[in-house]
């Protein structure tokens, strides 16, 4: 594998000059408040973008099957709905690979702006699409196209927000500030759930299915405009700026134009770290979609409970998840993110079987309590802590290519198909949901394997000044930081 030739003379041949000496000065550290501002801007932008992406998650079991797949049996329509859900995740690694290379070449900030435009516009268009009763097969086809566009943009969003927040965070608040990217996403999905609950309460069931459900989707245009203002005011990551300085001085090769070559570089640099980057998000992603998309469809479909119950559960799950993320983010700066991840994995494994037993019993209050508990203890801990671990698996010059591709391929192959797989298996087993406990446990064990497999790149200096890194050892190749 060869890299593109640098346009800057090498350090050995470049003539000495005042300009060259000036360029050699390291990029100064920014005030602590700039890291907080960047993390907040990343989190708020992520909230808006995941409001868009989360709308489909909330609407999947309540509206999409009836509007875009009408005329089919309930089981076929539900499977088609979750197939469209999975399509968005299939598009995400494509976006992750392409936009990851762009992030390593042009910067974290411009890619996050572009991804917001893609997701926001496609979500707004979904709110304008005619139903299958009006235009037939074109309705689900256009829905799939928008899901592909949405997924392509989302392939850069979460991982990109994690990276820029992590790279900009002050050492003493590394865990908390990095976790704001995940907290923003959770708040976005919570907002989508609340608006769906409000609109379903305001309109009759017939009017909600006819046009009321479209209102939250159309509001995406307004929220996207707000997000663009925030993203444009966000500062670039200081670690990426240092990489650019090193490229200008000829100390680093220029970034690859070919996204596949850029991803290959990240994989080749440390295959075990790339595989770890694939495995670590498994538990948190699967748990999240079981307690949201699958549980909502199971409540309204198999249990035949009112849709308002499902929306109430969704609000409770994402609301408690948002608060739990902030708690675990702060806890990570106290006891270390490695221990926080173990707490989350243990919580999910202990709660998997009781959760399914309560789900099967069919009483809505215990279901809501169990979903909140599983999400808060089995998801939030790992979700908060992995925002520190994942970026450290890759050096800054190819970090986006490595993290985007590994994380989003996991989403396409594991997380995205989970609601579809769970719904199919439960249907095949005559409505018995016990297989869901096995899926939850398997995903958590994949995360555990990723934690032990990965070799995060931490320097001795980072370990000394960053409380969140307790329990990790310095990496000889991490001279000067996690690059």
């Amino acid at each position: 594998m060869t890299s593109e030739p640098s346009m800057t003379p090498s350090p050995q041949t470049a003539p000495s000059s005042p300009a060259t000496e000036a360029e050699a000065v390291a990029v100064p550290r920014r005030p602590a408040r700039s890291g907080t501002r960047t993390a907040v801007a990343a989190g708020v932008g992520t909230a808006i973008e995941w409001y868009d992406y989360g709308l489909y998650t909330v609407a999947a079991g309540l509206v999409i099957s009836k509007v875009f797949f009408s005329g089919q049996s309930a089981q076929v329509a539900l499977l088609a709905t979750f197939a469209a859900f999975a399509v968005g995740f299939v598009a995400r690694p494509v976006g992750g690979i392409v936009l990851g290379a762009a992030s390593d070449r042009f910067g974290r900030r411009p890619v996050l702006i572009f991804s917001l435009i893609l997701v926001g516009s496609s979500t707004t268009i979904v709110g304008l699409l005619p139903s299958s009763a009006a235009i037939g097969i074109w309705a689900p086809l256009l829905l799939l196209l928008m899901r592909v566009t949405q997924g392509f943009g989302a392939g850069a969003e979460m991982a990109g927000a994690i990276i820029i927040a992590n790279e900009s965070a002050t050492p003493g608040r590394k865990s908390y500030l990095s976790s704001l990217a995940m907290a923003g996403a959770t708040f976005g999905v919570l907002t989508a759930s609340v608006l769906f609950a409000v609109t379903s309460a305001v309109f009759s069931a017939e009017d909600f299915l006819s046009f009321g459900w479209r209102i939250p989707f159309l509001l995406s245009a307004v929220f996207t405009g707000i997000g663009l203002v925030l993203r444009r005011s966000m500062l670039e990551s200081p670690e990426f700026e240092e990489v650019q300085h090193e490229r200008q001085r000829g100390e680093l090769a220029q970034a690859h134009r070919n996204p596949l070559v850029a991803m290959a570089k990240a994989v080749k640099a440390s295959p075990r770290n790339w595989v770890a980057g694939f495995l670590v998000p498994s538990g948190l992603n699967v748990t999240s979609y079981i307690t949201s998309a699958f549980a909502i469809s199971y409540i309204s479909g198999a249990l035949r409970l009112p849709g308002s119950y499902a929306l109430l559960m969704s609000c409770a799950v994402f609301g408690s998840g948002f608060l739990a993320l902030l708690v675990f983010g702060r806890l990570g700066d106290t006891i270390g993110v490695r221990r926080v991840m173990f707490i989350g994995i243990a919580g999910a494994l202990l709660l998997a079987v009781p959760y399914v037993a309560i789900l099967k019993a069919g009483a809505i209050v215990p279901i809501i309590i169990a979903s909140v508990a599983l999400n808060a203890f089995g998801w939030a801990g790992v979700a908060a802590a992995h925002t520190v671990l994942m970026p450290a698996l890759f050096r800054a010059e190819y970090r986006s290519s490595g993290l985007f591709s590994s994380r989003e391929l996991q989403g396409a192959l594991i997380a995205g198909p989970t609601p579809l797989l769970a719904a199919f298996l439960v249907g095949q087993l005559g409505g018995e949901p016990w297989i869901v406990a096995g899926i939850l446990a398997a995903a958590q064990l994949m995360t555990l394997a990723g934690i032990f497999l990965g070799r995060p790149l931490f320097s001795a200096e980072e370990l000394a000044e960053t409380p969140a890194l307790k329990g990790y050892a310095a990496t000889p190749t991490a001279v000067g930081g996690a690059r």
Side-chain angles (χ1 to χ4, degrees), residues 152-206:
F152 185 90
E157 172 52 36
M158 177 56 70
I162 287 172
I163 285 176
I164 198 169
N166 181 279
E167 291 181 345
S168 304
T170 51
R173 306 179 72 197
K174 175 74 77 172
S175 175
Y176 178 68
L177 293 180
S178 297
S179 70
L180 290 183
M182 292 296 297
T186 306
F187 187 79
V189 181
L190 171 63
T191 304
S193 300
V194 169
L195 284 179
F196 249 80
V198 170
T199 51
S200 66
V202 169
F203 296 104
S204 65
E206 182 179 340

Side-chain angles (χ1 to χ4, degrees), residues 434-450:
W434 293 108
I435 189 67
V436 174
I439 293 174
L440 284 168
Q444 295 297 331
L445 293 177
M446 289 174 68
T447 292
L448 188 63

Side-chain angles (χ1 to χ4, degrees), residues 1 93 96-97 100-101 104 256 258-278 393-395 397-410 453 455 457:
M1 180 178 63
I97 293 169
D104 286 332
H256 294 283
N258 188 320
L260 293 177
V261 174
M263 182 184 75
K265 177 182 178 180
V267 176
K268 184 178 180 181
S270 178
R272 67 183 298 157
N273 275 6
W274 191 91
V275 173
F278 177 92
L393 295 173
F394 308 97
R395 292 172 64 88
E397 63 263 27
Y398 55 81
R399 180 170 290 149
S400 293
S401 293
L403 199 156
F404 285 25
S405 60
S406 61
R407 195 179 192 280
E408 298 309 329
L409 280 168
Q410 188 281 333
L453 180 66
R455 294 292 182 269
L457 307 174

Side-chain angles (χ1 to χ4, degrees), residues 45 51 127 171 315:
Y51 164 83
C315 293

